[in-house]
Structure formats: structure tokens, C-alpha cells
Amino acid sequence: MNRQSLLLLITEETPDTEVRQMAAYAAEHEGRLVCCVVSQMPIQTVTAYGAVPYGGWEISDQWVQEVSDARARLAKRASALEALLQAENASGDVQIALCNAPDLRTQVARRALVCDGAIAAKDLRDAPDGLFRAAAYGVLFDTPIPLILNATPLSTPKRIFVGWDTDLPAARAIHAALPMLIEADEVVIASFDPEAVDTADGENPGSDLAKWLSHHGCNITVNQYPSGGEAIGAAMQHRAAELGADLIVMGAYGRSRMRELVFGGTTRTMIEQTGIPVLMAH
């Protein structure tokens, strides 16, 4: 992970210790840490008067003041974080995203396009009005970089559990995680309910991926698991925990996002879980 630019998605309440640990990691690996402070825009109140088309809209002075106060508060927080980065000798900067959830996706994506990976702070999950999911979607669907969850402070994993299904999202996640995979002591390639035919997952699922990663110097173990009727997301967590994995690498939304939102799915399960760090890409 040397010399990489990492986008750290945080809230106003994210503890300084969490940011400091990430800054120390960036400094140690000659990286760059871009802190993006995410905050919900105050609810806008609008008063209508008269009748269309002769009337008009009047924006509340109170809302204007609330926005001004929020910007001032965030600017103060940004200054404190910039001082923190300097104290840790970490290269980087602090940016502010004060907006509603639909706009946050675009705001996060624009920043993530010029970074190597995005990491969500733990308390971003508690942000109001769907800000966490909007930020996650901005990274996964609108950028080429991976999203890392449950991994602050970030550390070099020793045993990595790779969910492999020969789909493009999984391949993208593995390519993004390659620097970590090379540094790990062991990489476990896991296929769940694989179709061992040439037109699906190959006659020996996971072996082709193992050859490629082995050529990079990775220490590889290939496992094929039956789900036994268990949801793949749950099965993945259980097998990774049994092996003592420090990180799960997987593709995100290999199926329709709408289908996963309505019926549930592996990606949704892994985004919602908080027990193990996960790196995912779409």
C-alpha cells in the first residue's frame, strides 16, 4: 500500500484517535490521506405566497443562518484535522461535503476518482438520512477504486480471505487489493457452491486465480465450500472467522442492485456487517 492516496470518509464526530491512526498509517507507507468530512445539509424550509404564475417562493432566513453556521462549524473542524495531519507528518488535506444524500454520492465520487482507495470511518454508519449508503454507492458505482469497511485503523492483513466467483466485480476487487495480497502471509481463495465446468467456474474453480497470484509471490490456499443452504454472505463470514482472516476481499453487486435491495444479497449482508474488515469493488 506504499505511496497510495486514501480517501477517508468521516463525520464531524469521528474521534481524533481514529483519524490520527489513519494518518500514522499513511505517513508510515509514504501515502496521502484525504479526509472528507460528510455532513447533512440543514432541512430547507420554503414559503410560498401568491398563486402560480404570479406568486413566488421565499427561502427562510433561519435556514440561511443554519447553513452558514454549519459551514463555519465544519471549517473549524477541518482546520483542526489539518493540524492533526501536520502533527503526524502525514501528507494530505481535509475537504468538506455538506449536502443531502443524493448529492453526496456525486461529491464522494468526484473526490474518489483521484484516490487509490476509500475507507469509511466506523461512525459513518450512524450518519442520518442515508449518507453512509450514498457515500458507499458513490465509491462502488461511480469510481474504479475499492471501498474498505470496518478497517479503521488500517493495518497490513496477515491472512486474507478472497471470495471468488469468476465475475468481473470480484476480479476488480482482487486487482485493487493486489498490494495487500502480496504482503499477506496467506491468501485463501474461497469459492462457494462453484460450478466445476469449463463454461462456468472452470474444472478446478480458483486454480487459475491461484496461479496468477502465486506468480506475484502470494502464498495461496484454494478452498471450495458448499453453502449448505446458508446465505453466501453469512457463510463467507463464518468461514473467514474460522480461518482467522484479517480481511475479506470480494466483488460487490454482481447481481442487480435493485434485486439485492429488495430480496437481500451477499453485498448487502457484507456492507451491513461490522465484525470483519472487508474490501469490495464493483
Side-chain angles (χ1 to χ4, degrees):
M1 298 293 285
N2 289 338
R3 302 193 66 82
Q4 291 201 350
S5 294
L6 300 176
L7 177 65
L8 179 61
L9 301 169
I10 62 177
T11 70
E12 295 178 68
E13 290 76 28
T14 299
D16 284 355
T17 53
E18 193 170 347
V19 180
R20 186 174 290 109
Q21 289 168 336
M22 288 298 304
Y25 177 89
E28 180 183 354
H29 292 81
E30 299 181 319
R32 181 169 174 268
L33 187 66
V34 180
C35 298
C36 181
V37 185
V38 171
S39 185
Q40 172 68 36
M41 177 72 77
I43 298 176
Q44 182 176 357
T45 56
V46 179
T47 302
Y49 61 91
V52 177
Y54 306 106
W57 301 95
E58 183 176 289
I59 298 176
S60 168
D61 292 337
Q62 180 180 352
W63 178 79
V64 174
Q65 185 61 48
E66 289 176 353
V67 172
S68 177
D69 292 344
R71 287 175 175 165
R73 186 180 67 250
L74 289 169
K76 182 178 179 180
R77 178 59 176 151
S79 297
L81 291 172
E82 288 172 353
L84 187 154
L85 293 179
Q86 291 179 1
E88 294 295 328
N89 294 318
S91 174
D93 60 280
V94 182
Q95 302 176 11
I96 294 172
L98 175 63
C99 53
N100 297 314
D103 297 321
L104 180 62
R105 173 170 169 171
T106 302
Q107 292 281 335
V108 168
R110 180 170 59 82
R111 292 164 170 81
L113 285 172
V114 289
C115 291
D116 298 292
I119 305 171
K122 295 173 182 176
D123 68 338
L124 185 61
R125 295 179 179 277
D126 302 323
D129 300 321
L131 292 182
F132 167 69
R133 192 166 294 275
Y137 286 173
V139 175
L140 291 175
F141 290 104
D142 302 328
T143 78
I145 70 172
L147 174 67
I148 305 175
L149 303 174
N150 310 325
T152 50
L154 187 64
S155 60
T156 302
K158 298 300 182 182
R159 180 174 287 113
I160 301 179
F161 189 92
V162 176
W164 177 239
D165 58 7
T166 70
D167 281 347
L168 181 58
R172 284 175 171 159
I174 293 165
H175 277 266
L178 188 58
M180 286 184 171
L181 298 173
I182 292 172
E183 293 183 21
D185 293 339
E186 182 183 12
V187 176
V188 178
I189 299 173
S191 298
F192 291 86
D193 297 332
E195 297 181 49
V197 295
D198 191 52
T199 56
D201 297 317
E203 295 181 359
N204 188 13
S207 62
D208 49 355
L209 176 61
K211 291 177 182 178
W212 175 57
L213 292 178
S214 294
H215 188 67
H216 277 285
C218 299
N219 178 27
I220 303 295
T221 300
V222 179
N223 291 334
Q224 298 170 11
Y225 297 104
S227 65
E230 187 177 30
I232 300 300
M236 188 178 295
Q237 293 177 68
H238 293 157
R239 301 294 87 77
E242 289 173 359
L243 295 170
D246 305 303
L247 176 71
I248 292 177
V249 173
M250 59 172 285
Y253 293 109
R255 299 187 301 173
S256 163
R257 178 177 52 156
M258 182 59 67
R259 182 177 176 183
E260 290 221 9
L261 288 174
V262 175
F263 300 106
T266 303
T267 306
R268 181 177 174 181
T269 298
M270 297 306 295
I271 286 178
E272 293 176 351
Q273 65 85 30
T274 58
I276 186 169
V278 56
L279 180 152
M280 56 178 62
H282 177 70

